[in-house]
Amino acid sequence: MYAINFGLVLLAVTTSQHWSPPHYVMGYTFTEWVALLTIATIFVACVTWLIRVVIVSPLNAQISILSSKIDAMNTDRAKETQAMNAIIDEHGRMLRDHADKIIRHEEDIKTLFKQRGDRNN
């Protein structure tokens, strides 16, 4: 059936090498390699699916919920910022009014002291 080159076999035996036919790779036939590759591929696919179902999908759901909560928080913060800016503007106006009143009162006090001084002389 097989034509074996006895010279190669004799060379392999004398140099302590194991001779294998050319359709064998590391002692396995091509069909065995394909079967091993198929098993490995199925195993990797199952592990990938399991990781996706157990870890990635719940994390994506939680990240989505967190993202919506952060958006709501940003909206609330923007409303609070507007309210605080309005309060700060009002306080600024009130401080300017008080500063004007203080200036007016100082002038009134100076005027009263001048009038009092004029009466005493």
Side-chain angles (χ1 to χ4, degrees), residues 99-117:
D100 291 343
K101 286 182 183 178
I102 288 173
I103 291 171
R104 222 175 317 133
H105 286 194
E106 286 178 355
E107 289 174 359
D108 288 344
I109 290 171
K110 286 180 186 177
T111 305
L112 287 174
F113 277 119
K114 279 186 183 179
Q115 287 175 357
R116 186 174 173 207

Side-chain angles (χ1 to χ4, degrees), residues 56-68:
V56 174
S57 293
L59 282 177
N60 282 340
Q62 292 297 319
I63 288 172
S64 176
I65 291 169
L66 180 64
S67 176
S68 65

